[in-house]
Amino acid sequence: MKGLLTRCVTLALSLTVVLTGCGSNQGGSADAGGASGGSGPSGTSKVSMVYWPGPESDAMQKVVDAYNSGQGKTDGVNVEMVLLSRDGTYEKEAAMMSSKSDEVDMYFTASYIIGQHAPSLDALDGKVNTDGYLKSSVDSLRMNNETLAIPMDVSNHFLLYRKDLIDQLLSDSTWKSKYGEVSQKVLGQVLQPKDPKDWTWDDFIAAAAFFSQEYNPDSPTKYGTALQMKNLIFNVMIWDDFLWSNGGSWLDESGKPQLNSEAAKKAMGIYSTIYDGKMTSPNSTVAEYPETQAALQSGNAAFAVQWGAAYDELNDPERSPNIAGKIAVAPIPGEHKTHVHALGVGLNKYAKNKEAALKWMNYLTTKDAMQIYADGGGIPPIAEVLKGLGEKKPVLPLIAEHVDKYGYSTPIIAETQPIMLKLAEDLSGAWAGKVDINKALEKAQSDVSETLSK
């Protein structure tokens, strides 16, 4: 925290209201050169960049330090991070953007909100080279054919499963026979066990039932899987995998909503079948990342669609002593589509010091810079960097592979985040069977249409 205090820069007086929530830095002193782009006594240009406090800024500070003591001297540029509060960064940036402030040169952004940031960001095409990045991560920060930010961290989902249990299922004749009985009961057809990399959604449901004591009292896990059903936009991102991997999307090719599509009904049906069938904990209605992690760590669930960052923790003997070394990765069932979103930085359209900011942004896109970021704990979407750290962090090469092969981005429009909020509100009740699926999807269709028409 002390480091955060010393790094967080006090903005100009015109932004006093904005800065009242600047983490623990409310008493911080102003930098001699000011937070905004300008020139210091030696003629060095200063670039101020908003970043997200936490592990991401800890990693970025190492890149900033390396630049300021190296390439930055050649460029005549000195970079400072502006750390707002983790929970309120976007709200405070919105205040700056609405006033067309020039107090910072670069904004922190993300795929799910860049549509709202777009009017305040300069297009970077032709100014910054993003060829080295995984395509889906760059696409997730593009709108109207313009690149609005460079990606810094990438997130995706995996199907994480207990390899020891699946190996036994694939080799034990008694388990195979029981699997056939269970699949007949829940799906009306006898299925044979498969490797998770080849699962359809029927295989997902059948395996969830087999590893649930409701259908198989001898199951080593109480529940087959762990759904994340809390009313939360990050859980919509998980459900999106079920939608996209059934061939669906929020919008059709003309940009019209298609939340009442057959693919959407199938995605909803998988949730309700698993929840109503007691193949996931009844507490799944309030579950998100931590609860899913706990279900796997405790041995309470055999597999789950979970965020990629979970993998290393689940295989860490200190943090997951019951299951470490037993967790493996497979693509999302069905069409294997995995949600991808990126955190990134964009150039303030009203920045005072764009030339210097672009020098810094071009440095950020180099392999050397992103190697420093990854060594510091970041997850830069550059395949070469991620694959090179596999021995230290086994999940990183897997992220590079899955984002490259299976990654998709939800529609990047001004209404991306409002749509996610509507979907969370409209669909979460139906996930748990409290609302009819068709009524929930029609409500979502109507609400998304209204959102797009505003």
Side-chain angles (χ1 to χ4, degrees):
M1 182 61 72
K2 183 178 179 181
L4 185 155
L5 291 171
T6 56
R7 293 195 297 270
C8 193
V9 180
T10 301
L11 300 181
L13 291 175
S14 60
L15 288 173
T16 298
V17 174
V18 171
L19 281 173
T20 53
C22 186
S24 301
N25 193 42
Q26 296 177 34
S29 60
D31 183 271
S36 61
S39 297
S42 63
T44 298
S45 297
K46 289 196 172 184
V47 171
S48 57
M49 176 181 70
V50 178
Y51 220 71
W52 210 357
E56 296 86 358
S57 64
D58 291 343
M60 181 55 70
Q61 188 62 52
K62 298 181 187 301
V63 187
V64 169
D65 291 344
Y67 180 75
N68 287 343
S69 62
Q71 181 66 41
K73 292 186 180 297
T74 302
D75 291 343
V77 175
N78 187 276
V79 178
E80 292 179 331
M81 281 198 295
V82 178
L83 302 180
L84 307 176
S85 68
R86 191 169 178 88
D87 292 338
T89 292
Y90 296 139
E91 288 79 0
K92 290 160 187 166
E93 286 189 322
M96 288 186 259
M97 290 176 180
S98 66
S99 65
K100 300 182 179 180
S101 170
D102 61 4
E103 298 295 335
V104 299
D105 299 299
M106 295 167 60
Y107 286 118
F108 185 81
T109 188
S111 307
Y112 46 83
I113 200 167
I114 196 163
Q116 296 177 43
H117 290 176
S120 301
L121 299 176
D122 268 357
L124 299 174
D125 303 276
K127 302 172 185 172
V128 175
N129 185 356
T130 58
D131 290 348
Y133 288 85
L134 293 166
K135 183 177 182 302
S136 57
S137 69
V138 177
D139 289 346
S140 75
L141 294 170
R142 285 175 59 82
M143 182 173 162
N144 296 331
N145 298 317
E146 291 184 331
T147 303
L148 298 175
I150 52 177
M152 291 291 105
D153 288 271
V154 65
S155 295
N156 73 301
H157 304 142
F158 295 129
L159 174 66
L160 299 178
Y161 68 93
R162 286 278 300 277
K163 189 174 186 305
D164 57 326
L165 300 182
I166 294 296
D167 285 348
Q168 184 168 350
L169 176 59
L170 293 172
S171 60
D172 187 311
S173 59
T174 301
W175 279 33
K176 287 182 179 180
S177 177
K178 183 64 177 179
Y179 187 89
E181 292 176 20
V182 170
S183 62
Q184 174 70 47
K185 184 172 183 178
V186 298
L187 294 168
Q189 57 181 324
V190 177
L191 298 181
Q192 297 299 316
K194 294 178 186 173
D195 188 307
K197 69 180 176 57
D198 298 319
W199 278 5
T200 66
W201 287 111
D202 278 350
D203 296 317
F204 182 87
I205 293 171
F210 175 80
F211 285 112
S212 295
Q213 292 174 1
E214 177 74 12
Y215 299 90
N216 178 11
D218 295 328
S219 169
T221 58
K222 187 171 183 179
Y223 302 105
T225 190
L227 294 181
Q228 302 184 34
M229 302 167 69
K230 186 177 180 179
N231 180 346
L232 197 68
I233 66 168
F234 294 105
N235 286 350
V236 170
M237 297 175 189
I238 294 277
W239 178 78
D240 280 343
D241 287 347
F242 290 68
L243 175 60
W244 258 260
S245 290
N246 272 295
S249 176
W250 298 346
L251 311 176
D252 64 19
E253 292 182 355
S254 67
K256 295 180 179 177
Q258 54 174 1
L259 272 307
N260 54 4
S261 67
E262 287 303 312
K265 292 174 184 176
K266 288 180 181 177
M268 294 295 288
I270 295 166
Y271 268 54
S272 63
T273 297
I274 287 174
Y275 185 78
D276 293 345
K278 300 179 181 177
M279 303 172 206
T280 187
S281 166
N283 296 326
S284 297
T285 54
V286 292
E288 50 182 307
Y289 177 96
E291 290 78 13
T292 301
Q293 202 73 337
L296 292 167
Q297 288 172 315
S298 66
N300 221 25
F303 57 86
V305 175
Q306 174 67 307
W307 294 89
Y311 175 79
D312 283 347
E313 180 182 343
L314 292 171
N315 278 318
D316 183 334
E318 291 187 5
R319 291 182 289 178
S320 305
N322 295 327
I323 60 163
K326 299 176 181 177
I327 293 293
V329 164
I332 304 300
E335 296 189 12
H336 301 331
K337 302 295 186 183
T338 181
H339 163 96
V340 170
H341 77 247
L343 307 177
V345 287
L347 180 61
N348 180 4
K349 182 173 288 185
Y350 307 100
K352 291 179 180 176
N353 208 0
K354 292 184 180 180
E355 183 179 351
L358 284 170
K359 288 180 180 178
W360 159 241
M361 294 180 89
N362 273 294
Y363 173 78
L364 275 179
T365 63
T366 64
K367 180 190 171 187
D368 288 347
M370 289 299 92
Q371 187 69 54
I372 297 170
Y373 192 60
D375 288 340
I379 309 178
I382 295 180
E384 185 179 359
V385 172
L386 295 178
K387 291 177 179 177
L389 288 171
E391 187 171 339
K392 182 180 179 183
K393 293 182 178 180
V395 73
L396 297 183
L398 295 169
I399 290 175
E401 176 190 352
H402 283 240
V403 169
D404 185 36
K405 285 185 178 178
Y406 312 121
Y408 72 89
S409 172
T410 53
I412 303 301
I413 53 180
E415 298 84 2
T416 297
Q417 190 184 46
I419 287 176
M420 286 184 175
L421 290 168
K422 285 296 182 185
L423 294 182
E425 180 181 335
D426 291 342
L427 302 184
S428 55
W431 292 340
K434 295 178 180 177
V435 180
D436 177 78
I437 287 175
N438 291 324
K439 290 182 179 177
L441 289 173
E442 288 300 333
K443 179 76 162 52
Q445 177 79 2
S446 175
D447 284 345
V448 172
S449 296
E450 182 180 349
T451 299
L452 292 173
S453 67
K454 289 181 179 177

